[in-house]
């Protein structure tokens, strides 16, 4: 399982290796690049199958766009695969190509960043070894900065979740019969591939038409609660540009008014967002009927909205 997947034309191998080096220097070492002797396709491996498996098990695909890439049928197939799997897509221009010449699948993607620049002062330069020779590679510093900020704001921090939590340094790593919580995200492992698959399904749901529903099914004791609380919810919370996870609701004997019911969840979320709702607001709203709930959720989403990369407002 890799966090990032680098897609490139075979004629842009040097640029792909250069971007790999920059990503690793910034902390994003969990990536797949077919050319990489350690992170790529190994000897004896079926290359086409390996590429499809890597694309399916990553969270985000970085496309290095050149005119050779635009003319490559294989690169376009990788783009269609990424769309079909609901992956995050980042388009990186490594040649000065007008946006009007880019296909719609790229211009409507998560972000388009230009890594081209004029003038040595504005460049990040390095050398990569390709076919036994040192090849110079340079990218625009401004573009790399936008890429770094974009990856961070999308919740793709290169650092894993801290363990133990800073506010609970003595937290025990084993919870017995209790499920792991968000504080245990740094101690939750072995479910990376299902988490990435579920995150892709959620992205597909968010872009589709209602009704939107996703269920996590499994036998009692299989770890569903830990998977949700320590695996999925912390990642949704980290991607606050697109998601606003509410506190977990447990029906118990009072799904609406119980200690872990809907009212308590909405009240906790409103407090976290700084909304000064009067105590009677939620009970009255729910008493008026289910049609009022969307307006409450809309208020929460508006309060949680964060600026996008161009200074506008993005809503979870």
């Amino acid at each position: 399982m890799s966090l990032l997947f680098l897609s490139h034309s075979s004629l842009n191998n040097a640029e792909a290796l250069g971007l790999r080096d920059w990503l690793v220097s910034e902390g994003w070492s969990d990536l797949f690049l077919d050319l990489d002797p350690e992170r790529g396709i190994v000897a004896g491996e079926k290359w086409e199958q390996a590429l499809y498996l890597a694309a399916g098990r990553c969270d985000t695909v970085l496309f290095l766009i050149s005119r050779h890439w635009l003319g490559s049928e294989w690169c376009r197939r990788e783009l269609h695969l990424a769309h079909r799997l609901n992956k995050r897509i980042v388009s990186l221009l490594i040649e000065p190509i007008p946006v009007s010449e880019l296909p719609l699948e790229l211009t409507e993607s998560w972000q388009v960043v230009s890594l081209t620049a004029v003038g040595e002062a504005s460049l990040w330069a390095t050398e990569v070894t390709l076919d036994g020779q040192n090849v110079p590679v340079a990218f625009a510093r401004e573009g790399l900065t936008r890429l770094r900020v974009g990856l961070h704001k999308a919740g793709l921090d290169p650092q894993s979740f801290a363990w133990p939590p800073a506010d609970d340094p003595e937290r025990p790593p084993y919870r017995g019969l209790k499920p792991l919580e968000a504080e245990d995200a740094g101690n939750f492992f072995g479910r990376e591939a299902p988490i990435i698959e579920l995150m892709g399904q959620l992205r597909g749901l968010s872009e589709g038409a209602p009704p939107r529903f996703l269920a996590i099914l499994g036998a009692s004791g299989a770890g569903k609660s830990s998977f949700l609380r320590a695996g999925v919810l912390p990642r949704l919370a980290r991607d606050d540009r697109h998601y606003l996870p509410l506190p977990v609701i447990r029906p118990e004997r009072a799904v609406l008014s119980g200690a872990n019911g809907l009212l308590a969840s909405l009240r906790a979320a409103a407090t976290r967002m700084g909304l000064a709702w009067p105590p009677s607001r939620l009970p009255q709203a729910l008493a008026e009927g289910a049609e009022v709930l969307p307006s409450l959720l809309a208020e929460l989403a508006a309060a949680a909205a964060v600026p996008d990369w161009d200074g506008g407002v993005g809503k979870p």
Side-chain angles (χ1 to χ4, degrees):
M1 189 277 297
S2 299
L3 184 66
L4 303 173
F5 178 101
L6 302 186
S7 172
H8 63 98
S9 164
S10 60
L11 296 180
N12 299 117
N13 290 344
E15 289 84 355
L17 291 169
L19 185 61
R20 174 208 61 183
D21 291 347
W22 179 83
L23 288 167
V24 171
S25 71
E26 294 291 324
W28 281 285
S29 59
D30 188 12
L31 58 87
F32 176 89
L33 173 62
D34 57 349
L35 301 173
D36 194 296
E38 297 180 0
R39 304 179 180 88
I41 300 176
V42 300
E45 195 172 11
K46 295 182 178 180
W47 66 270
E48 185 172 355
Q49 182 181 18
L51 285 174
Y52 273 110
L53 287 175
R57 300 183 66 189
C58 75
D59 184 86
T60 299
V61 184
L62 306 180
F63 289 99
L64 276 65
I65 309 301
S66 65
R67 296 195 181 278
H68 293 299
W69 188 98
L70 293 174
S72 168
E73 176 62 26
W74 179 256
C75 292
R76 297 295 289 270
R77 287 167 62 185
E78 287 183 340
L79 175 62
H80 296 157
L81 176 64
H83 273 292
R84 189 165 69 251
L85 297 177
N86 297 310
K87 301 299 180 181
R88 299 179 190 272
I89 293 176
V90 184
S91 304
L92 303 172
L93 299 180
I94 56 177
E95 289 184 9
I97 303 174
V99 175
S100 59
E101 297 183 17
L102 297 178
L104 181 62
E105 300 98 321
L106 290 175
T107 57
E108 66 179 2
S109 65
W110 172 59
Q111 188 179 18
V112 178
V113 174
S114 175
L115 297 182
T116 63
V118 178
E120 295 184 2
S122 63
L123 295 178
W124 175 87
T126 186
E127 283 190 350
V128 299
T129 302
L130 187 64
D131 297 331
Q133 298 182 344
N134 292 333
V135 180
V137 177
F139 297 120
R141 292 184 182 277
E142 180 182 355
L144 292 175
T145 298
R146 286 177 57 83
L147 175 59
R148 182 195 304 114
V149 172
L151 291 176
H152 276 284
K153 288 186 175 181
L156 296 174
D157 192 290
Q159 304 301 320
S160 61
F161 293 96
W163 178 262
D167 58 352
D168 190 4
E170 302 299 325
R171 189 177 183 84
Y174 301 104
R175 302 281 292 166
L177 296 179
K178 297 179 180 179
L180 298 177
E181 303 289 349
E183 294 82 0
D184 302 300
N187 191 42
F188 183 69
F189 54 90
R191 296 290 186 268
E192 290 87 356
I195 289 173
I196 283 181
E197 181 181 358
L198 185 141
M199 294 294 288
Q201 292 176 343
L202 287 177
R203 279 191 286 270
L205 282 177
S206 66
E207 296 172 0
R212 306 181 183 96
F213 179 78
L214 189 148
I216 300 174
L217 301 177
S220 178
K224 301 185 297 298
S225 294
S226 295
F227 177 78
L228 174 66
R229 292 168 180 259
V232 177
L233 289 180
R235 287 161 175 80
L236 294 179
R238 191 164 63 176
D239 187 6
D240 59 356
R241 183 170 300 279
H242 299 98
Y243 301 103
L244 172 60
L246 301 179
V248 174
I249 299 170
R250 294 185 65 87
E252 299 173 338
R253 294 181 180 275
V255 65
L256 294 180
S257 59
N260 296 300
L262 177 60
L263 287 175
S265 177
L266 294 176
R267 189 174 292 115
T271 300
R272 190 171 71 243
M273 294 298 102
L275 294 175
W277 285 348
S280 61
R281 172 72 187 283
L282 286 172
Q284 289 178 352
L286 293 182
E288 294 174 5
E291 64 276 3
V292 180
L293 183 58
S295 64
L296 295 176
L297 297 177
E299 287 188 45
L300 287 174
V306 293
D308 62 23
W309 297 282
D310 296 318
V313 174
K315 294 184 178 181

